[in-house]
Every structure is written in C-alpha cells, then in structure tokens.
Amino acid sequence: MNNALDKHGFAMDLVEQTATPFYYYDLDLLHATLDEINRQIEGHPFKVHYAVKANGNPRILKEIAESGLGTDLVSGGEIKAAIAAGFDPREMTFSGVGKTDWEIRLGIENGIGCFNVESIPELEVINQLAGEMGKKAGITFRVNPDIDAHTHKYITTGTADNKFGISIEALDQVIRHALTLPHVNLRGLHFHIGSQITEMQPYVMLCETVNRLLDRYDAQGIHFEIINVGGGLGIDYMDPDAHPLPDLEEYFGTFKRLLKLRPNQLLHFELGRAIVGECGSLISHVVFVKETRNKKFIILDAGMTDLIRPALYEARHKVQNLTAADSDGQETYDVVGPVCESSDVFAHDCLLPVTRRGDLIAIRSAGAYGESMSSCYNMRSLPSSVFAGGK
Ligand code: LLP
C-alpha cells in the first residue's frame, strides 16, 4: 500500500522513483469498479466478460481474473495471456472476423466456452477443425444489429456498413446451417454496437432488437442459452475525478428493465474500457517548454507510441501537471510528444499551471487502449507500468 497520495490521488513516491514514460495503475480504483460490477449483477443471470484488448497487462489481468469475470478475446495471444492469468477457459469468448487456423485450434484445445462466429466460411472452418480434433466447439453468432451508437467512426461496429457480424436478414439461414453441422454447438447470439457509448439510447434499441429476435426464434422452437450484448460503456474523459466509476447502475439497469430473458438464458456483457479506463494514467516528464510565434508547447517524453488514442481518434484526455505550484499562475499550452508526426499531440490549447522542464505530467483515463495499443515506432521502447494500492 502506498499512503502518500498527492492532491490528484497519485502515490508520489512511486511516481518519482520510476523512469518515465510509464503507466500508473490505481488498483484500488480497479477493485472498486470490479466490486461495483459484481454488486450490480448479483442475483441476476448475468456474466461479465472482460475485453482483454482494452488492457492485457499481466498484473491487471490477474487482478480481474481473481474477481471472477470471464473474458472476451480476439487473438491467440490474448487466449494465452488469459489462461496464464488464471481465467477459466469455459468463460472465454473468442471474437474477431479473421481467426486463423492455429488460433481456432488453440481455442478448441483449451476448451474455450464460445467462438463468436462472424461469417459462414468461419463457421465451416471451426466445424472442420473441431471434427479433426474429435471435439465439438461452442459457438455464438455475432449479429450486426445495424444500430448506430454515434461514437467516433473508427469505433462504431454495429452498423450495416462495417465488417463485423452477420446481418439480421442472413441470420435465419446461417442458424439453420449451423444446426446441421456435427462439430459445433450453437449456444447463442452476440451483439456489440460500438465503444465509448455514454447515452443509454443505443442500448435501449439493442434490447428492442434482441427481444424481437428472441420472439422470432421462440416461434421457430430455437432456444439460445446465451445472449451476449457486447460492451461499449463509456467513461468520463473530461472529468475523471467527478466520475471515477462509470454509471454501472444505469447501464445494467437498462438491461434488467428492458431485455426479456427467457428461463435458462444467460446474459453476457463484454466490458473493456468501463473496467480499466479510469484506473490508468500515463506519466511523463516535460522535456522542454518551447515557444513559437503564436504557441507554447509542452514537449513530453511520452508520445503517440505510448498512447495513440489522441492521434488515431482525436480523443481527448485530461492532462495534469503533478509538480507545478498553483501559485505561479496558469498558461495555455499545446501538449505534444517527441515522435516525428504532426498528429503526436495530446492536447490543444490546454490551460495548465505554469510548466517547466522536468515537471511530471499525468495523462488521465488511459487505462483502456493505452498500454495495449502502444508501439515501438521511431524505435522507442514500450512504456513500463507501476501499480499503486491493491489487495
Ligand atoms: N466486445 C467486442 C466484440 C469488441 O469489439 C469490443 C471492443 C469490446 C467488447 C469492448 O468494448 P469496450 O467496452 O472497451 O468499449 N481502441 C478504441 C476502442 C476499440 C474497441 C474495439 N472493440 C479506443 O481506444 O477508443
């Protein structure tokens, strides 16, 4: 346990001892989020799967595995990491439009609960490989519900124009086909409509779509053991201290109220960002403060290779100076990284305390899709990680 927290909630002894740039994870906040999830789903036929793509740091995975969640996985590497962290293979769902043969075999070998199938060619290959291995693979179909969640175009997944899932029109035929195959066991339907969703309306529409489909398949005598409504619940990037936890009551409450689950049916969720987003910050040093004719730049030793969200999605994260004195006044800065790309910008026109070379800067709400999307472009090193708090 680190006790000396600064006014922003960071264990400064840990921050000051660690070479920058690095990810700082607040495990107390991670556990508070996990505990709240478990509280919200208690007594309901709900199972939450953690979307490992949001953050596959082994320590983070281990902490989440201990809280009893399942996993949503999108590659053989993620299957291996989840098994190493202690997640139960039976509570694993393997999604993705381009699963390769070795990845499918790895999943079957380890007895994962479900392949989330996104096309007929994939269905055929899973059936064939499972047959060759003398096994039967559990599957769900990923349905593209054609719901626009109004998020950034690169993270919208549930509209008719993108590559994910099977259209509702094609579903009847695909289900009938699956029921004839000897080496797959059709367990349910899956839906994922996008990411960083902060309004409940898209989820309300999703519940209506699912209810309609359940009526349709009841009439055909087809029962699904699992309905998986994907993930996507957003977090507060602008004011993380006001909302350290997402509104889990409103989120789960929407499904409790509106989704008409059948007896013996389980509702699966696949949350990534909502679980790990707020517990992580990217910490860096100010290398230089540079003035040009009309701008002041804070140049950090962290860049887009450590956190690519601003460069890729024009995402904005709250930036804080952890070491400047408030009494020195404030200035407006562009906060940028050292990488040779003009998009390597964390914040434009950001009001901060007067900042100097050597100051420590935190880029907040970076726990999801931060470390997991980091790269070595410009032959930079991958960021390291430290953990504060925890059980
Ligand atoms: N399930 C499926 C099938 C998914 O494709 C995703 C995310 C999730 C669950 C988890 O979504 P979440 O609860 O984390 O929103 N790199 C982007 C986000 C990409 C999300 C991809 N799929 C970003 O940094 O905003």
Side-chain angles (χ1 to χ4, degrees):
M1 256 315 203
N2 296 278
N3 294 319
L5 299 184
D6 81 333
K7 63 178 184 221
H8 303 295
F10 288 93
M12 286 310 283
D13 49 349
L14 194 57
V15 169
E16 278 161 0
Q17 276 162 25
T18 311
T20 53
F22 64 91
Y23 276 91
Y24 174 103
Y25 293 109
D26 176 350
L27 295 183
D28 290 335
L29 181 54
L30 175 62
H31 282 289
T33 310
L34 292 166
D35 290 349
E36 182 58 18
I37 287 173
N38 282 329
R39 212 173 64 80
Q40 289 296 333
I41 64 175
E42 204 183 330
H44 295 268
F46 291 2
K47 179 85 196 177
V48 175
H49 286 204
Y50 169 58
V52 168
K53 66 173 86 64
N55 190 321
N57 182 300
R59 174 75 186 271
I60 298 282
L61 290 186
K62 192 173 144 289
E63 303 281 334
I64 297 175
E66 282 167 9
S67 74
L69 270 59
T71 45
D72 157 44
L73 307 160
V74 290
S75 72
E78 286 191 358
I79 295 176
K80 289 181 188 171
I83 290 171
F87 285 99
D88 181 350
R90 289 167 303 179
E91 299 292 351
M92 291 182 182
T93 301
F94 182 16
S95 288
V97 294
K99 302 174 188 78
T100 59
D101 291 11
W102 77 265
E103 292 177 311
I104 294 172
R105 283 200 195 93
L106 181 72
I108 296 172
E109 224 164 73
N110 284 286
I112 65 165
C114 268
F115 287 85
N116 193 18
V117 175
E118 309 222 14
S119 66
I120 296 231
E122 182 192 334
L123 176 66
E124 304 275 355
V125 170
I126 293 175
N127 180 61
Q128 184 202 328
L129 296 179
E132 284 167 18
M133 295 167 76
K135 299 251 170 89
K136 202 160 178 163
I139 62 161
T140 49
F141 278 121
R142 177 162 181 180
V143 184
N144 186 329
D146 199 12
I147 291 172
D148 190 350
H150 300 295
T151 55
H152 189 277
K153 61 179 186 298
Y154 288 177
I155 53 176
T156 296
T157 45
T159 65
D161 284 344
N162 60 54
K163 67 181 176 184
F164 299 104
I166 293 165
S167 71
I168 289 184
E169 303 84 75
L171 194 58
D172 267 4
Q173 194 202 343
V174 177
I175 288 176
R176 295 207 170 281
H177 186 47
L179 293 174
T180 67
L181 298 177
H183 306 295
V184 294
N185 172 23
L186 177 58
R187 300 185 66 196
L189 298 180
H190 171 281
F191 307 81
H192 174 75
I193 55 175
S195 203
Q196 184 52 19
I197 298 169
T198 49
E199 303 277 313
M200 286 303 114
Q201 190 52 28
Y203 291 120
V204 170
M205 287 162 68
L206 177 58
C207 289
E208 287 163 1
T209 301
V210 174
N211 288 339
R212 243 191 348 264
L213 284 175
L214 288 180
D215 286 344
R216 191 210 275 187
Y217 289 107
D218 272 357
Q220 299 182 26
I222 297 172
H223 173 78
F224 298 112
E225 185 193 336
I226 297 168
I227 296 298
N228 186 328
V229 287
L233 177 63
I235 60 170
D236 189 346
Y237 282 99
M238 289 301 97
D239 198 354
D241 293 322
H243 302 109
L245 267 63
D247 196 337
L248 295 163
E249 190 173 349
E250 187 186 34
Y251 174 69
F252 288 112
T254 302
F255 293 96
K256 287 177 194 169
R257 250 183 327 112
L258 299 177
L259 207 139
K260 300 197 185 81
L261 279 185
R262 306 305 194 244
N264 302 319
Q265 204 161 55
L266 273 175
L267 187 57
H268 284 191
F269 300 85
E270 291 175 343
L271 296 174
R273 189 187 319 263
I275 296 175
V276 290
E278 297 291 15
C279 78
S281 297
L282 175 61
I283 310 290
S284 65
H285 272 114
V286 176
V287 185
F288 299 115
V289 178
K290 169 175 171 175
E291 280 193 58
T292 61
R293 190 149 35 127
N294 37 23
K295 287 244 181 224
K296 278 197 169 132
F297 291 97
I298 293 175
I299 303 174
L300 302 178
D301 60 6
M304 64 190 283
T305 54
D306 306 296
L307 176 65
I308 202 174
R309 302 192 68 258
L312 194 57
Y313 316 117
E314 296 170 322
R316 288 294 162 249
H317 290 246
K318 189 176 168 93
V319 176
Q320 280 172 333
N321 186 323
L322 300 182
T323 43
D326 290 338
S327 52
D328 283 357
Q330 294 191 312
E331 280 272 13
T332 300
Y333 300 99
D334 277 14
V335 182
V336 304
V339 174
C340 298
E341 296 279 341
S342 330
S343 58
D344 189 21
V345 178
F346 290 114
H348 292 280
D349 300 323
C350 182
L351 191 64
L352 286 169
V354 170
T355 296
R356 297 187 175 82
R357 171 174 163 82
D359 281 352
L360 279 162
I361 300 287
I363 301 173
R364 301 284 307 276
S365 315
Y369 309 107
E371 192 180 352
S372 65
M373 293 181 80
S374 60
S375 78
C376 295
Y377 181 45
N378 281 193
M379 291 197 176
R380 287 165 55 77
S381 305
L382 291 175
S384 60
S385 50
V386 299
F387 304 88
K391 290 182 177 165

